[in-house]
Amino acid sequence: MEQERERNGRLCCLCSGRAALRRPKTLQQLCRECFFRVFEDEIHQVIVSNGLFTRGERVAIGASGGKDSTVLAYVLAKLNQTHDYGLHLFLLSVDEGITGYRDDSLETVHRNQIQYGLPLKVVSYKDLYGWTMDEIVATIGKKNNCTFCGVFRRQALDRGAALLKVDKLVTGHNADDIAETVLLNILRGDIARLSRCTSITTGEDGPIPRCKPFKYTYEKEIVMYAYFKRLDYFSTECIYSPNAYRGFAREFIKDLERLRPRAVLDIIRSGENFRISTTAKMPEQGTCERCGYISSQKWCKACVLLDGLNRGLPKLGIGRSHGVIGASRDRNERNGGKTIESKQCGTLDF
């Protein structure tokens, strides 16, 4: 058999046809069709085994135009039809207002809308918060800008999902992303996030749960799938995030993966097996008094950051914000009661 493989070149380990690739996760030699089938079957099993969806649900797919969300939209639409999930799928995009990056990627999303036949909803930072990321970066510089974008984007997705009246929101977070998050939360000592960062579904106690069907799917395999399927996606990185802290964790994991391909899954499994001490004080979830969004403080992080921007103090909400809200309110009361209630932020209408 080995001699036959040498004569015919690399053979697919499943069908004995000519292999086209080696799977990064298992190092198996596979032809394209077998790779497509295995890739899709694994995602289907993750969906079924974790009970991610219920028949008839409205599901929004967080679509950025990048490889992860594009492959997610394509595969989910295909599985929904093949396995008759009975889901009503929508594309949901966030326009952060980044010239030369998001405007170009949104053109890809609009093409995906036509290619996959899925309705599209776009929400923007400018409409929701009164600021674009270009304007924020012009105000604060390129340091800490990811803090603003991450907080605003999360809330913008929830607001868009509320407008679509969906039951679930799915994102293209892959195995590499989750492994990076586990390491980052360990490095930061963030017990609260460490306890839930490996969950395949989060926000179940909130208005719109979020699911990650790609939890065990390697980034390299998503790239391979998109390449061999010739999917239309946008591959340029955000112009404001080359020095993001997450990048250091990403490079470390890539080094580990070169030595041990299953290192990514090992980190995820380790995160799943963490047990938080019962003596650890966890933040209590409530709602923001300003906008109604989920928050463990009186004001959510987005409202604190927005307050700083609108008052010309953009660094006000950077880092830990304990005490900031109370002090801010005292100053506002002394200044005639003008608060961020008069600023454009909107409310969450759930």
Side-chain angles (χ1 to χ4, degrees):
M1 185 65 180
E2 290 298 326
Q3 292 178 347
E4 182 182 350
R5 286 181 181 272
E6 291 178 4
R7 286 196 303 270
N8 297 330
R10 296 181 303 169
L11 297 180
C12 175
C13 66
L14 297 181
C15 73
S16 297
R18 185 174 294 276
L21 57 94
R22 184 175 68 173
R23 286 194 74 187
K25 183 190 291 186
T26 63
L27 302 183
Q28 291 175 307
Q29 301 286 356
L30 297 173
C31 67
R32 291 189 187 187
E33 293 305 316
C34 286
F35 171 64
F36 295 154
R37 187 175 66 254
V38 169
F39 183 90
E40 294 164 5
D41 285 349
E42 286 186 359
I43 295 168
H44 171 63
Q45 291 303 319
V46 168
I47 291 172
V48 172
S49 61
N50 290 277
L52 296 189
F53 309 119
T54 301
R55 188 174 188 80
E57 284 186 324
R58 294 167 62 90
V59 178
I61 303 169
S64 66
K67 63 184 185 308
D68 298 318
S69 62
T70 299
V71 172
L72 177 61
Y74 177 87
V75 171
L76 199 53
K78 183 175 182 179
L79 293 178
N80 187 40
Q81 182 176 22
T82 303
H83 298 283
D84 192 24
Y85 293 160
L87 303 177
H88 304 284
L89 301 176
F90 302 84
L91 296 178
L92 173 60
S93 293
V94 177
D95 182 2
E96 299 94 342
I98 303 175
T99 305
Y101 169 67
R102 183 54 71 209
D103 47 358
D104 291 340
S105 68
L106 282 176
E107 291 181 8
T108 303
V109 176
H110 282 287
R111 291 196 299 271
N112 292 157
Q113 174 191 10
I114 298 171
Q115 293 160 353
Y116 307 151
L118 299 176
L120 169 65
K121 175 68 178 178
V122 180
V123 293
S124 72
Y125 282 8
K126 188 68 174 178
D127 292 339
L128 294 175
Y129 310 114
W131 292 77
T132 66
M133 276 308 298
D134 285 341
E135 293 169 343
I136 292 173
V137 171
T139 301
I140 69 170
K142 292 188 177 182
K143 185 177 181 180
N144 293 321
N145 66 83
C146 287
T147 298
F148 285 83
C149 195
V151 172
F152 287 169
R153 180 177 175 78
R154 180 174 183 82
Q155 191 174 122
L157 280 171
D158 280 339
R159 293 185 178 198
L163 291 173
L164 287 171
K165 294 180 170 57
V166 297
D167 303 292
K168 300 277 177 62
L169 172 63
V170 296
T171 61
H173 290 97
N174 57 51
D176 299 62
D177 296 327
I178 296 172
E180 290 164 14
T181 304
V182 172
L183 288 183
L184 286 174
N185 288 331
I186 291 174
L187 293 174
R188 291 168 174 161
D190 195 332
I191 296 176
R193 288 189 175 90
L194 183 59
S195 66
R196 63 177 184 266
C197 68
T198 58
S199 300
I200 195 166
T201 300
T202 57
E204 293 173 292
D205 55 345
I208 303 176
R210 293 188 178 206
C211 306
K212 299 184 281 286
F214 283 173
K215 177 181 176 179
Y216 301 111
T217 306
Y218 277 31
E219 182 180 44
K220 288 181 180 178
E221 297 196 356
I222 293 173
V223 173
M224 287 180 172
Y225 187 91
Y227 173 76
F228 286 120
K229 283 284 187 177
R230 297 183 179 179
L231 299 184
D232 184 5
Y233 69 93
F234 185 77
S235 58
T236 302
E237 292 292 329
C238 177
I239 60 176
Y240 295 139
S241 64
N243 298 315
Y245 185 44
R246 177 175 286 270
F248 298 103
R250 181 177 297 119
E251 289 303 315
F252 177 64
I253 288 176
K254 295 301 181 189
D255 290 340
L256 289 178
E257 189 182 356
R258 279 190 284 270
L259 297 174
R260 176 181 167 82
R262 290 191 61 84
V264 174
L265 290 180
D266 290 342
I267 293 174
I268 295 175
R269 297 296 186 191
S270 296
E272 290 173 337
N273 290 327
F274 277 125
R275 295 294 179 267
I276 307 303
S277 172
T278 55
T279 60
K281 185 178 180 181
M282 304 295 284
E284 295 182 6
Q285 290 283 23
T287 56
C288 173
E289 292 182 358
R290 168 61 188 92
C291 70
Y293 192 68
I294 297 171
S295 176
S296 58
Q297 304 292 325
K298 290 185 178 180
W299 281 4
C300 68
K301 189 71 170 179
C303 284
V304 174
L305 291 173
L306 190 59
D307 184 36
L309 286 171
N310 288 328
R311 294 197 293 116
L313 300 170
K315 295 184 179 180
L316 181 67
I318 300 296
R320 300 189 182 277
S321 57
H322 299 298
V324 170
I325 295 172
S328 174
R329 282 185 170 171
D330 291 341
R331 285 192 296 270
N332 283 326
E333 289 173 0
R334 291 195 297 270
N335 292 330
K338 293 181 179 179
T339 69
I340 69 167
E341 271 79 354
S342 61
K343 303 297 182 181
Q344 183 178 6
C345 185
T347 59
L348 289 174
D349 183 19
F350 294 124

